[in-house]
Amino acid sequence: MALPDFPFQNVDGPSFTHHSMIREYLMAYAKHFNLHPYIKLNTLVKRVEPETTRNGRTLWTVTYKSLETKEEITKTFDAVVLCNGHYSVGRVPHIPGIESFHGRRIHSHQYRMPEIYAGKRVCILGASWSGIDIALEVSQYANKVYLSHNLPEQFDSKMSSNVEQRPGVESVLGNVFTFRDGSSAEVDDFIYCTGYKFTYPFMSTKVEIRTNDDHVEPLYKYLVHMDYTNLFFMGLPTLVIPFPMMHIQAQYILAILEGRVKLPSSQQMREEYEIEKKSLLDQGILLRHINKLKERQWGYYDELAAAANVPSVAPVNRKIMEHVFHMRDVDFTTYKNYQYRIIDSENFSMSYCKPC
């Protein structure tokens, strides 16, 4: 799912492409639009501080450090867009007795190659996208994979024969893992696929940012800080089509900065947000899952696009994503082997590709 103004070029094979091709695509995007003069590489942001002028306007002082020269520089900006991502600081829940386990244990953020698990008994905690993907990769080499999760029901989708689903891990004693149903298994390696923390270590304490239960507040439209409307949080929603979503978010931010979108007052934004949050909680959606938009993403795109007076995501994108989810529910082992091609705004073609 490319950015709308720069399609993927000459991509063969499955649409679930290797991360190296995504990197090449982003590098080509930056080159095509001559973005490199506006990017500072090897630079660490140290502090982001709001400053109020005499006329009540908020400006932002940003202090950053060159990792090459070690020089610290402070500059002032009219607005700040936070694009620091949310897949860098892994969330590692405490498990009673885990300190007694002497095998290898890592977070999925540290996972690189499945070959090191050859002949091992591996427990993977968490069964979202990374948990399932890693379980399938590791199962090609491991003797046994225990996919441990707390979902209400086990998956019906096809998996490798040496992958066994178990409930969440209750406790650990040495290399024996006890699960919440009372069963146990001996484990050689353990992988946490338990999500990530939202972190903003550079942000001033003057700015309220709550990240309780993996949910960021106080934000309007998952994007705009309700107290500082020139502070934006890019790309927070998950279970979305990332590049098209961030393209629309960028257009919405631009419309705000240019005055084409008039935001409600801080109080009105909070009231609107609380009504929406209560509605979602009443539907049984946990607070930490509110930013998992999935089927709610399409209305979100339409709303931002209409406000900014820009095109929304074409219906064909929804059809492709829904088809991917269907194929995933049928067979975890093959759903990534399909190539999707957009024909027009409503239609797409699909073909099976032999995996590499």
Side-chain angles (χ1 to χ4, degrees):
M1 298 294 185
L3 290 160
D5 53 358
F6 194 72
F8 283 101
Q9 302 295 320
N10 303 319
V11 177
D12 295 323
S15 293
F16 279 86
T17 187
H18 193 264
H19 63 79
S20 60
M21 296 186 69
I22 301 299
R23 181 182 184 276
E24 289 176 8
Y25 169 78
L26 293 174
M27 295 292 287
Y29 186 95
K31 181 178 180 181
H32 178 80
F33 290 103
N34 192 33
L35 299 181
H36 286 289
Y38 308 99
I39 299 173
K40 286 189 177 296
L41 301 175
N42 297 311
T43 301
L44 176 66
V45 175
K46 303 283 287 185
R47 289 184 301 279
V48 177
E49 189 90 14
E51 300 291 344
T52 304
T53 64
R54 291 181 179 179
N55 62 2
R57 182 184 174 199
T58 297
L59 298 177
W60 297 91
T61 58
V62 178
T63 301
Y64 56 89
K65 177 181 179 180
S66 168
L67 299 181
E68 295 175 339
T69 66
K70 310 304 179 184
E71 179 185 12
E72 284 198 7
I73 299 172
T74 299
K75 290 189 176 182
T76 302
F77 297 91
D78 297 306
V80 169
V81 182
L82 301 181
C83 305
N84 61 316
H86 46 90
Y87 296 111
S88 58
V89 180
R91 181 161 52 86
V92 179
H94 175 69
I95 300 172
I98 191 63
E99 298 81 5
S100 68
F101 178 64
H102 298 298
R104 178 169 37 207
R105 52 187 167 114
I106 64 169
H107 189 273
S108 57
H109 182 66
Q110 301 163 290
Y111 171 82
R112 294 296 180 268
M113 304 296 291
E115 292 86 352
I116 64 174
Y117 299 101
K120 302 290 187 177
R121 299 162 297 183
V122 183
C123 180
I124 295 174
L125 179 61
S128 190
W129 291 81
S130 61
I132 291 171
D133 286 349
I134 291 174
L136 293 177
E137 283 194 4
V138 168
S139 68
Q140 299 176 53
Y141 299 91
N143 179 50
K144 185 74 175 182
V145 174
Y146 297 100
L147 182 60
S148 170
H149 61 79
N150 293 314
L151 297 174
E153 298 178 355
Q154 291 197 349
F155 295 107
D156 292 328
S157 182
K158 181 181 177 182
M159 289 190 284
S160 304
S161 59
N162 61 337
V163 176
E164 180 180 335
Q165 296 183 65
R166 293 287 183 97
V169 178
E170 182 71 26
S171 63
V172 176
L173 181 61
N175 71 331
V176 177
F177 280 53
T178 299
F179 303 96
R180 292 188 174 180
D181 63 352
S183 65
S184 62
E186 293 187 353
V187 171
D188 301 307
D189 291 274
F190 184 41
I191 305 175
Y192 292 92
C193 294
T194 45
Y196 293 83
K197 296 179 180 179
F198 292 100
T199 59
Y200 306 95
F202 45 77
M203 183 56 65
S204 166
T205 55
K206 297 177 183 177
V207 180
E208 179 189 20
I209 302 178
R210 300 190 301 274
T211 57
N212 301 330
D213 205 11
D214 298 326
H215 182 67
V216 183
E217 295 178 333
L219 299 184
Y220 182 67
K221 307 299 183 189
Y222 305 95
L223 184 61
V224 186
H225 197 285
M226 296 181 193
D227 296 326
Y228 298 93
T229 54
N230 56 353
L231 174 63
F232 307 96
F233 294 67
M234 178 71 81
L236 293 191
T238 60
L239 293 185
V240 295
I241 43 176
F243 287 172
M245 179 193 73
M246 286 184 276
H247 178 80
I248 290 179
Q249 286 185 323
Q251 298 300 312
Y252 185 74
I253 291 171
L254 182 62
I256 291 173
L257 296 177
E258 291 180 344
R260 292 183 285 112
V261 167
K262 302 297 183 183
L263 293 171
S265 68
S266 175
Q267 180 63 30
Q268 289 172 321
M269 285 190 283
R270 289 177 184 275
E271 290 174 357
E272 182 179 328
Y273 167 74
E274 290 299 332
I275 291 172
E276 180 186 9
K277 183 170 78 169
K278 183 179 185 303
S279 173
L280 294 172
L281 294 174
D282 288 346
Q283 294 173 45
I285 298 175
L286 299 176
L287 181 64
R288 66 177 181 271
H289 292 161
I290 283 179
N291 67 322
K292 295 181 178 180
L293 297 189
K294 201 174 180 179
E295 67 276 359
R296 291 184 285 125
Q297 67 182 299
W298 316 111
Y300 177 65
Y301 304 151
D302 291 345
E303 185 178 2
L304 295 190
N309 194 27
V310 297
S312 187
V313 172
V316 67
N317 291 277
R318 178 173 187 169
K319 293 178 180 179
I320 291 175
M321 189 169 189
E322 289 175 346
H323 189 272
V324 168
F325 272 91
H326 168 70
M327 299 302 290
R328 183 176 182 267
D329 289 341
V330 172
D331 191 340
F332 284 141
T333 66
T334 61
Y335 80 96
K336 287 188 174 184
N337 298 336
Y338 292 88
Q339 181 186 84
Y340 295 88
R341 287 289 179 263
I342 293 176
I343 298 173
D344 53 40
S345 63
E346 293 283 348
N347 300 289
F348 68 92
S349 64
M350 181 193 72
S351 59
Y352 185 81
C353 299
K354 184 178 180 180
C356 299

